[in-house]
Amino acid sequence: MDDATLRILEFDKIRSLIAGFTQTLPGSALARGLTPLARAEEVAEQLAQVEEMQTLHAQRGRPSLGGTRDLGPHLQRLGLEGVFLAAQDLLDVLSSIDAAAECRRYLTAPEAAPRLFEKSRGLEVPETLRRLLRESIGPRGEILDGASFPLADVRRSLRATRERIRRTLEALFSDERLASAFQERLITERNGRYVVPVRADHRGQVKGFVHDESASGQTLYVEPAQTLADNNALQALLREEKREEERILRRLSAQVHAAEAVLRANQALLAAFDLCAAAARFALATAAVAPRLEARALIALREARHPLLLLGADGLAREIQAVPVDLLLGEGGDTLIISGPNTGGKTVALKTLGLLTLMVRCGLPIPCHPDSRLHLFGKIFADIGDEQSIEASLSTFSGHLLRIRAVLEQADNDSLVLLDELGTGTDPAEGGALAMAVLDTLRERGAKTVVTTHLNLVKGYALLNPGVENAAVSFDHETLRPTYRLHYGAPGASNAFTIARTLGFDPEVLGRAASYLSAEEREGAAVLDELNRRSRSLEEDLAEAQRLRGEAQADRDKRRRLLEEIETRKQAILDKAARRGDEAVRQAEARVKRLLKDAQALSGDSTAEAARLTREVRQVREDLGAAARPHPRPERVPRQVRAGELLRIPALGAEAEVVRVVAEGVELSLHGKKLRLPLAEVEQFQPPRFAKRRSGVGGVRSRVERSSFEPRLKLVGERVEEALALLERFLDDALLQGLREVEVVHGAGSGALRRSVREFLAAQAEVESFHAAELARGGDNVTIVRLRGA
């Protein structure tokens, strides 16, 4: 696409809008540099990725990519001899590595987002570098004591030296002989050395070096002689600390330099994911979808809306929403001529078509109906607006001609050409003739062309040439306002007099203007008005018919659901009756057995008689059970089942989930237990039902839940079985929150719960280690659990 087309269609505003939805500087830069993709396969892939990101956004919220930093300047400096990164720069590197790890966790959903999952495998997390940076750099960009043993030793010596100096100076404050010499009992620093404030008129009482004095000259800041040696030692230790910190920074910078290729590749991928997430948020904000891409040159954008009429520059929805418009140019047509009144929406329709086509070419979803279809044109040309230039001595008409000449030189059979007010700016007859010649040439080149015009000569062009269609922006004569909708099949009237009347023109002036029109012109305008009126009436009738059809379909669906509910309730009642019958049989059998036992005890040795009676009772029970239990209806006996489907087990009065289909029947899961049954012993729901899955399989939760999660689980008083179930869920939640250490409070008691908890922890792969807490934190009553990192 040429730069003029991008400028005319205001594509820079779309870039800025998408950039406003990004979370990172690299992602924002990528959005502001959006350009049309070269191949249709790339467009389809990008649109599919955005659609997957929309799905993940609905399931898990937007990805957390805010930690991604622009590492380009840092990595570029490392290429210079002797240069190393500051601690804050290294913290940026760590933040980007953590963002890459978080992004990989977010995209671990091959079922919901297979393309993004595959793409995320290109993210590498340099764990060694990540561990070194985390152990060496604090969250505020400070170098930690654990960065090296020498640094820890130096800082211990610094703390001890400062403590000695403090004790020495406090001893001076406590000396009654010097009480009057001190301005205040305050230890401060001057030139990196500890000093005390001494009154100027008592300077001789405190022996030492004067480093500074107050603005009034009444206070001297003196380094007492007693602290001279320790202050000197402190300065030496500070210099040694600085040297060690520089050595650590150089070592870490070398590690970063070695991982430069991985870091640059990660940043490129994270920027691409950020752009994809921004496009998904844009799509959710504008109800945008990906139209079906067509190899044939056609346009069928239904209910299309201009994005800049939906969202402001800040990305927030506008109060007044755009009126959707159908933009249609079928395979059999090559030119669409839009006419109608000014302010009616002709130019907006033209810009909407051009911008949406351009956005799709860049892999962005567009605000339109999901049934829309669009061809990916290789070239898009637009001549919309005023091309006048005083500096270049160009009139409006000359500017348009130069632009159209450039279009004619480049257009081919894979081009979309958009021309606004074709033929205007000069004599109507000559302008109309030139316009038709331009349309002839574009049609010969095989280009798809959409133009707007007020010229009757150009409107008539559609009636004389097959493949050319008229469309009109409608005008409501009752409200005297445009409706901003397109009506196909007839040209539109300009309605100049009507618009002038709404703007307050003197009726006498309008009457004189009307008198200058010929009878043919007035009749032609009347015919156009009648055609447009009938077209609107037909559209209203069609909309009403579609509404009634939709209501009828909704009624049919409601009846079907009611029948299914009735059938389900009926079966539930039968099942309940069967269970009651079984219970009655069991109670009757138990009662008979008790009677037999009592009879045997009274009659003495009557074992044979008791056995005979027992067999008869059992036969009665079987007969009662067979009569009471409803047999599965033939239509409920499953013929074909799938994994994940719910089946009913009549004998148990329970539902079970199909794990897999085996030769002799099905393997089912019932309350965590597996069993196999033939198909004849189970029933299938109509329609089939399936086990509900939690959204976002893979269980990555939003980080927003971190604030409500407590890293401490209390199991005191719980039974072992319930406690272990709570512990398993607690560990899952801790892993989802990204925690490395949690506490489990089990108490002492008999020790059974503590032993069971630790045996359970020892068998978990995600547990790195565990140990009893310190005495201050509960001792052996509490177990500290260390979880494995990402």
Side-chain angles (χ1 to χ4, degrees), residues 438-455:
V438 169
L439 293 179
D440 285 340
T441 304
L442 291 173
R443 296 184 68 205
E444 291 171 359
R445 303 278 177 85
K448 293 285 186 179
T449 307
V450 181
V451 303
T452 66
T453 187
H454 286 287
L455 301 179

Side-chain angles (χ1 to χ4, degrees), residues 168-175 179 182 184-187 196-197:
T168 301
L169 295 178
E170 287 179 349
L172 290 177
F173 289 148
S174 303
D175 192 340
F182 297 113
E184 55 182 324
R185 297 176 180 275
L186 174 67
I187 301 174
V196 292

Side-chain angles (χ1 to χ4, degrees), residues 644-671:
E645 186 174 352
L646 290 177
L647 300 178
R648 187 177 180 281
I649 306 176
L652 301 178
E655 298 176 5
E657 179 183 351
V658 176
V659 177
R660 62 191 181 99
V661 180
V662 295
E664 59 272 25
V666 288
E667 182 174 305
L668 304 170
S669 174
L670 178 63
H671 302 307

Side-chain angles (χ1 to χ4, degrees), residues 601-652:
L602 292 174
S603 60
D605 188 11
S606 57
T607 304
E609 182 65 17
R612 183 184 64 78
L613 291 174
T614 299
R615 286 194 300 273
E616 291 182 4
V617 168
R618 185 180 297 111
Q619 183 61 43
V620 170
R621 179 182 183 279
E622 291 177 356
D623 293 343
L624 286 174
R629 186 180 296 109
H631 295 285
R633 295 189 302 176
E635 61 269 24
R636 285 185 175 267
V637 176
R639 294 184 175 87
Q640 183 177 2
V641 298
R642 291 182 290 173
E645 186 174 352
L646 290 177
L647 300 178
R648 187 177 180 281
I649 306 176
L652 301 178

